[in-house]
Amino acid sequence: SMAAPYVSGIVALYLSYRRLYEGPQWKEEVLVLKKRLLETAVDLGSPGFDFSYGYGLINPESLFQLKESHEANEGQANNPTEV
């Protein structure tokens, strides 16, 4: 399917982006990356997986925003603000 090269390109871009900001020793676990891709996909057709659309449409913008929101949450946990 034509989804394979599109997804491969987005994954390559995401991995390059992460290595640039995390350092050359950074590695993403395959299952974690798959989970992030599924969390950020736009569901099309029937809810969940279906044979027409699979898991939906990959959403690269949300994938990168998810990464940034995880970093923000980790930063808040490490640097709590006083109330």
Side-chain angles (χ1 to χ4, degrees), residues 39-60:
E39 285 176 352
T40 58
V42 177
D43 196 9
L44 302 172
S46 301
F49 177 82
D50 60 71
F51 290 104
S52 297
Y53 296 101
Y55 287 100
L57 180 65
I58 191 169
N59 188 340

Side-chain angles (χ1 to χ4, degrees), residues 1 6 15 17 19-20 23 29 33-34 36 39 41 46 48 50-51 59 62-63 65-66 70-71 77-80:
S1 103
Y6 187 65
L15 294 176
Y17 172 80
R19 276 213 182 96
L20 179 67
E29 294 292 327
L33 180 55
K34 180 179 178 181
R36 289 178 194 223
E39 285 176 352
S46 301
D50 60 71
F51 290 104
N59 188 340
S62 291
L63 178 65
Q65 288 175 353
L66 178 68
H70 280 292
E71 285 180 349
N78 293 333
N79 300 317

